Amino acid sequence: MRLLRWNRTRPTDAELSDELEAHLRMAIAEKVKRGESPEEARAGALREFGNLPLVREVTRQQWGGQWMHAIARDLKYAVRQIRRSPGLAATVITMLALGVGANTALFTVFQQVVLATLPVRDPNQLILLSHKSASDEGSWSTWGDQSLYFSYPAYAALRDRSRTLDGLAASAFSPVNLTTGASAEKGNAEYVTGNYFSVLGTRAVLGRVIDGADDRLHAGNAVAVLSEEYWRSRYGGDASILNRVLRVNGVPFTIVGVVRYRGLTSEYVPSVFVPMAMQHAVMEGRDLGHDRLNDMLFYWITPVGRLKPDISREMAEAELNSIWLDWHRSAIPLLHRGGDFDKQWMQTRLSLKDGSHGLQFLESYLGSPLRILFSMVAVVLAIACSNVATLLLVKAAGRRRELAIKNALGASRWHLCRQALAEGLLLGGIGAAAGLLAGSVTLRVVLGMIPGTSAMKTALSQHLDWRVLLFSVCLGLGTSILFSLGPALTGMQTDPLGALQAGSRTVIDGGTQWQGTLVIGEIALSLALLVSAALVAQTLYHLRTVNPGFAIRHCLTFTVDASALAKQSTQVRNEYDVIQGTLQRMPGVTSASYSSMDLLGDDEGGGSITVRGYTETGPRVPVDFDWVTPDFLSTMQVPMLLGRNFTAQDADSSQKVAIVDEAFVRHFFNGNTGATVGGQLGLTIGNATKTDIQIVGVVPEIHSVGLSRNATGPMLYMPYAQSWTRAHSHPASFYVRSTAAPGQLEELIRTTVFQIDHDLPIVGLGTMQQKVDGSIFQQRLMAMLACTMAAMALLMSAIGLYGVLSFAVAQRTREIGIRIALGASRVRVASVVFRRLLTLMIAGLVVGAPLAWSASRILLSFTKLTGSAPYLFAGSALVMSLACGLAALLPLQRALTVDPMQTLRAE
Amino acid sequence: MARAESYKNRIELLQGTLDMLILQTLRWAPQHGYGISQALRTNSDEVLQVETGSLYPALHRLERQKWVSSQWKQTESNQRAKFYTITAEGKKQLASDHSRWQQMVEVIARIMQTEPEGKNA
């Protein structure tokens, strides 16, 4: 309302001019009437009137809202300045867009991986429990932070006795097959305790959530709550879904609700939540009678609790620790272990972790690379910023005369400073906007490159939220203020008399020194970035040359899961055998086999074992299992070191056999390969320690999980036919070695598998080489991003150097002209530019060397990167010098082609 | 900006008085800026010469305070000019300014007429 009125009553500039002109006209008219000549009258009237622009200015100041007016004028001026030198503006905006864009893109990811909190009520009150025990054994899940997994009895004790927590819930999850009607698909099930949703404070979007009545021990309700994402993607948000039946691993569940919640980790999005009491009906190994809910040594659930409002984390930690130790003590007689185990069992401690971010699995392995990349993009932005400052300083130096004249004409220093700031802010604003756009485009491209198998695919989105927007805007404004400050201060310091007297003669002053300092800083930072990027790239190169231990070339792989179709185990195995047989008969195929483990799939499957004659002294080491067909090892070209391979005679009903790798021999048989063959072992299920499996062979170690994982635990191969679990999830990964072209063979495999079973989906069909690339994708991405950033830094500092040298040449054109006219050789002239180049470059490299060295130290301490070869430093310095040399070419050529006649004439 | 400052000082010096004089001039009829300056000059027997640098800021200030309103009209000599009219609020302001001014003149006059007592020059 006020604004409207203000607008209506506020006069315009045009109206004011009219009014004052009318005044003049009337004054002239009257003087003419009195008999003066028109010229005299006009001159007299003007004299009496006084300084017309000044009157207009002081009158205008009465209007109020002066500052808005001033800003508008400054902006208009800034637009004019920018349009006057579009090339410079484009360079500045491009550099800012690159700098801000890279930061925006990375911050988006950083936000999601590190900063994002769970979308629940008061996430800051949530806590996660983590334990450290001397007796820790292999846990149910081998990925993520193992100390976050607890046994159900331990959890129940903490939940029931704690007075400092406003509830302690727990969950676990597993991949499942979800069936409605005729179609089946893979999904994730989250097993939750009855208080889970009330502790988190999550309400149902539709229907109800799982509550305590659904989760009574050994008598739970078969009810399921869908996640909103699954509900929307699978059922199109159909509200009539309530009370329908959904089969989870073949077991019917009634859908009772939908929640807007993605679980504690962003890596695996649950499709369905079921009561934890129902786990026995659904989870793998259910037919083995393993009672997970009573197994004190089976660590498989993740507790999450909420602190009471006035309780600190330390207080709760003290209380929970005493409960935790009490429980451990009371459990000793039930464990029947005795001796060292009991001592280790009591050496345990509980700590509380901030639960507001959920389980940050991604953070655990993306955290450090992201932090490194973040510091790299920050450096790139700093370089961009100082580069823009350099360019603007050069421009400001060119405008000294103009500024001096303005100052002499009565413009205040503050006014000039404001104009420089306005120009900077405008450039910064456009740059930030362009950066936001560039950032989201870059992010889309990079995320698009993530292979579908990577967990990053589900966890990361290019969603730009307000935090990202705020971040980019602050970044843009902050940097623009920084880089416009230099030119603005130059404007402030302008001494009108000095600048005017100097006329068009050279003015060498602090401005030039500033530019030099900035360029030296840029070169130094770029060198540090170059070395870091080289280090990262070197690691990637090392990874690429890692020998996986099996033959990669001429090998295709894919995974199917016939058990997802609710078939009997024998049916499933028959189907796999049919597929294998068909593959072997295909043209060009030399061998085909399958195994339960997806090689290089970043998925480990294992557990603890008992070896006859071996007593564990330290903590138990988890062993990886793989069930394979007899020709698996030969297909993958893994040689037998000792003993025999599996044969078709190693069937379900015959003597159970196993082949182990050298790591296994080292750990369990003291490296004695000979003694290993013939050894007996057993899989530990609960407290069962039957050692009914005989070792028949030894093979070398292979990188089965991923190339970037250095330490794979001891490996145990067993015949697929003897696989111990009859659970429904029973996938098979096929390996086909052939001389045929991969493309053709892939097509053939697709059609063949489809002919065998119309309902069997093929997952991850591709060459083994693609698998290898996927396995080192993260490192590849990191190397690529690091190199991109180093290249950007290199380019920017080259541009900065170019700007400064051009300026130096432009300022000395006259001097050079005179020198040449006086007979100086061109070579001597060139040395003017050359000396400046060398000074800046050497100073930059000298400053940059310790910087690069400490950057490489930090990088090495942060990651598993290895090596710090001096040739990386030398190479980086060489590249930097080359870039500097290239940047100097054009100014050098300009200095050499100065026409003495022209400069002298201009004098 | 130095000269702008000096203008401001002069306005401040005259401020209350100039506003009052303008309002007084406008009491009889709407008038444009030039007319006001001429009127002040003639009515003061050519003694008071208001500078445009003071007059126009004052007029715009009065308008912003809603003591005068303005509109474009034709003058007698057929020129377009911005005429200012005193508003009801402006009349109230003029009355209070006038009485305050009168008080002040009386007080100042009293002081100027009083002979110093017990003090010898």
Side-chain angles (χ1 to χ4, degrees), chain A residues 192-212:
Chain A
V192 299
T193 52
N195 60 354
Y196 188 77
F197 289 109
S198 69
V199 167
L200 289 175
T202 303
R203 289 209 211 100
V205 179
L206 183 76
R208 67 174 180 90
V209 295
I210 290 166
D211 59 29

Side-chain angles (χ1 to χ4, degrees), chain A residues 9 11 15-16 18-20 22-23 25-27 29-30 48-49 51 54-55 58-59 61-64 410, chain B residues 1 3-4 7-8 32-34 37-38 41 52-53 56-57 60-61 64 66 72 75 79-82 84:
Chain A
T9 56
E15 198 187 349
L16 177 60
D18 281 354
E19 188 179 4
L20 298 179
H23 181 113
R25 268 201 306 277
M26 283 186 278
E30 199 158 305
E48 273 167 35
F49 193 94
N51 187 339
L54 210 54
V55 170
V58 286
T59 307
Q61 278 171 11
Q62 303 298 324
W63 294 350
Chain B
M1 222 56 163
R3 267 171 288 174
Y7 265 105
K8 247 192 205 159
H32 44 72
Y34 181 67
S37 73
Q38 292 306 96
R41 208 156 114 187
T52 43
Y56 281 98
H60 282 243
R61 184 171 59 243
R64 194 163 162 241
K66 303 225 176 332
W72 284 87
T75 62
Q79 298 247 29
R80 254 175 62 80
K82 198 178 176 188
Y84 292 88

Side-chain angles (χ1 to χ4, degrees), chain A residues 428-660:
Chain A
I430 300 173
L436 206 59
L437 197 73
S440 64
V441 171
T442 314
L443 196 62
R444 188 184 299 253
V445 172
V446 170
L447 290 186
M449 291 188 319
I450 299 176
T453 47
S454 169
M456 283 191 268
K457 193 84 176 174
T458 38
L460 300 179
S461 72
Q462 60 215 33
H463 176 66
L464 297 172
D465 70 352
W466 63 268
R467 265 170 293 225
V468 176
L469 285 175
L470 189 74
F471 174 81
S472 310
V473 168
C474 288
L475 217 57
L477 290 185
T479 47
S480 14
I481 289 173
L482 269 181
F483 67 62
S484 45
L485 222 55
L489 290 177
T490 325
M492 288 271 259
Q493 287 162 357
T494 303
D495 164 26
L497 211 60
L500 283 177
Q501 277 171 349
S504 49
R505 253 174 284 138
T506 329
V507 191
I508 294 174
D509 59 3
T512 328
Q513 274 172 21
W514 260 106
Q515 298 158 20
T517 317
L518 286 174
V519 167
I520 290 170
E522 284 172 31
I523 293 175
L525 288 176
S526 302
L527 184 69
L529 277 191
L530 272 178
V531 170
S532 312
L535 260 176
V536 175
Q538 190 197 27
T539 315
L540 177 74
Y541 176 76
H542 281 323
L543 268 183
R544 289 200 81 116
T545 54
V546 160
N547 179 8
F550 53 87
I552 289 170
R553 305 190 54 155
H554 308 298
C555 185
L556 280 180
T557 176
F558 63 94
T559 301
V560 292
D561 190 358
S563 63
L565 303 167
K567 297 185 175 180
Q568 294 295 312
S569 303
T570 40
Q571 276 180 297
V572 171
R573 260 176 247 175
N574 285 341
E575 189 163 327
Y576 292 162
D577 287 339
V578 170
I579 294 173
Q580 188 195 13
T582 318
L583 291 172
Q584 277 167 339
R585 285 191 300 276
M586 281 180 184
V589 171
T590 49
S591 70
S593 64
Y594 61 91
S595 79
S596 64
M597 186 194 215
D598 184 16
L599 274 183
L600 298 181
D602 258 335
D603 245 339
E604 298 169 67
S608 35
I609 60 162
T610 313
V611 178
R612 187 180 291 171
Y614 174 82
T615 6
E616 194 70 72
T617 44
R620 288 205 183 188
V621 172
V623 176
D624 286 325
F625 304 160
D626 194 6
W627 282 273
V628 301
T629 54
D631 35 16
F632 170 78
L633 291 171
S634 58
T635 305
M636 298 323 293
Q637 301 181 359
V638 179
M640 292 301 303
L641 293 177
L642 200 70
R644 69 168 176 91
N645 198 347
F646 299 133
T647 66
Q649 275 71 53
D650 297 319
D652 198 10
S653 50
S654 46
Q655 160 71 44
K656 288 188 173 172
V657 290
I659 293 172
V660 298

Side-chain angles (χ1 to χ4, degrees), chain A residues 558 575 578-587 744-758 760 762 765:
Chain A
F558 63 94
E575 189 163 327
V578 170
I579 294 173
Q580 188 195 13
T582 318
L583 291 172
Q584 277 167 339
R585 285 191 300 276
M586 281 180 184
Q744 281 173 2
L745 193 59
E746 276 177 36
E747 216 27 63
L748 192 58
I749 289 172
R750 229 176 255 289
T751 49
T752 311
V753 172
F754 183 76
Q755 277 162 13
I756 294 170
D757 188 340
H758 287 259
L760 192 63
I762 294 182
L765 175 58

Side-chain angles (χ1 to χ4, degrees), chain A residues 118-183:
Chain A
L118 291 176
V120 298
R121 171 170 57 90
D122 293 335
N124 288 322
Q125 284 181 346
L126 291 184
I127 49 110
L128 293 171
L129 298 181
S130 135
H131 60 83
K132 189 117 194 73
S133 316
S135 65
D136 276 353
E137 299 184 356
S139 72
W140 179 67
S141 173
T142 48
W143 53 269
D145 187 350
Q146 301 204 13
S147 66
L148 292 169
Y149 291 95
F150 285 72
S151 72
Y152 191 86
Y155 153 74
L158 292 169
R159 176 193 62 196
D160 295 342
R161 295 187 219 163
S162 168
R163 297 284 166 271
T164 55
L165 292 184
D166 214 1
L168 183 67
S171 64
F173 74 85
S174 74
V176 288
N177 306 307
L178 299 169
T179 330
T180 25
S183 69

Side-chain angles (χ1 to χ4, degrees), chain A residues 72-304:
Chain A
R73 258 186 309 161
D74 284 346
L75 276 180
K76 233 185 270 173
Y77 175 79
V79 169
R80 233 179 308 140
Q81 284 299 331
I82 289 171
R83 284 173 66 177
R84 208 197 272 174
S85 39
L88 177 85
T91 315
V92 166
I93 289 169
T94 310
M95 277 190 292
L96 279 180
L98 287 176
V100 173
N103 274 276
T104 301
L106 209 61
F107 183 75
T108 310
V109 176
F110 194 75
Q111 209 271 116
Q112 289 172 30
V113 173
V114 181
L115 301 179
T117 54
L118 291 176
V120 298
R121 171 170 57 90
D122 293 335
N124 288 322
Q125 284 181 346
L126 291 184
I127 49 110
L128 293 171
L129 298 181
S130 135
H131 60 83
K132 189 117 194 73
S133 316
S135 65
D136 276 353
E137 299 184 356
S139 72
W140 179 67
S141 173
T142 48
W143 53 269
D145 187 350
Q146 301 204 13
S147 66
L148 292 169
Y149 291 95
F150 285 72
S151 72
Y152 191 86
Y155 153 74
L158 292 169
R159 176 193 62 196
D160 295 342
R161 295 187 219 163
S162 168
R163 297 284 166 271
T164 55
L165 292 184
D166 214 1
L168 183 67
S171 64
F173 74 85
S174 74
V176 288
N177 306 307
L178 299 169
T179 330
T180 25
S183 69
E185 61 182 333
K186 286 230 148 268
N188 292 315
E190 183 112 20
Y191 308 88
V192 299
T193 52
N195 60 354
Y196 188 77
F197 289 109
S198 69
V199 167
L200 289 175
T202 303
R203 289 209 211 100
V205 179
L206 183 76
R208 67 174 180 90
V209 295
I210 290 166
D211 59 29
D214 298 319
D215 185 39
R216 270 168 304 149
L217 222 51
H218 301 119
N221 284 335
V223 292
V225 167
L226 305 182
S227 74
E228 193 185 14
E229 269 179 63
Y230 183 67
W231 177 52
R232 293 211 182 278
S233 66
R234 180 70 182 76
Y235 297 102
D238 179 7
S240 71
I241 189 74
L242 291 184
N243 297 321
R244 273 206 236 159
V245 168
L246 171 72
R247 286 176 180 275
V248 182
N249 278 354
V251 181
F253 280 77
T254 309
I255 298 171
V256 293
V258 175
V259 288
R260 181 169 300 160
Y261 176 65
R262 299 184 84 202
L264 285 176
T265 158
S266 53
E267 224 174 347
Y268 288 88
V269 182
S271 335
V272 57
F273 298 88
V274 298
M276 188 168 280
M278 295 303 296
Q279 54 81 27
H280 66 92
V282 180
M283 265 191 192
E284 259 180 89
R286 59 182 166 182
D287 45 358
L288 292 168
H290 179 200
D291 186 1
R292 293 186 181 88
L293 295 180
N294 280 328
D295 188 338
M296 289 189 282
L297 293 176
F298 192 69
Y299 295 36
W300 64 295
I301 60 175
T302 321
V304 52

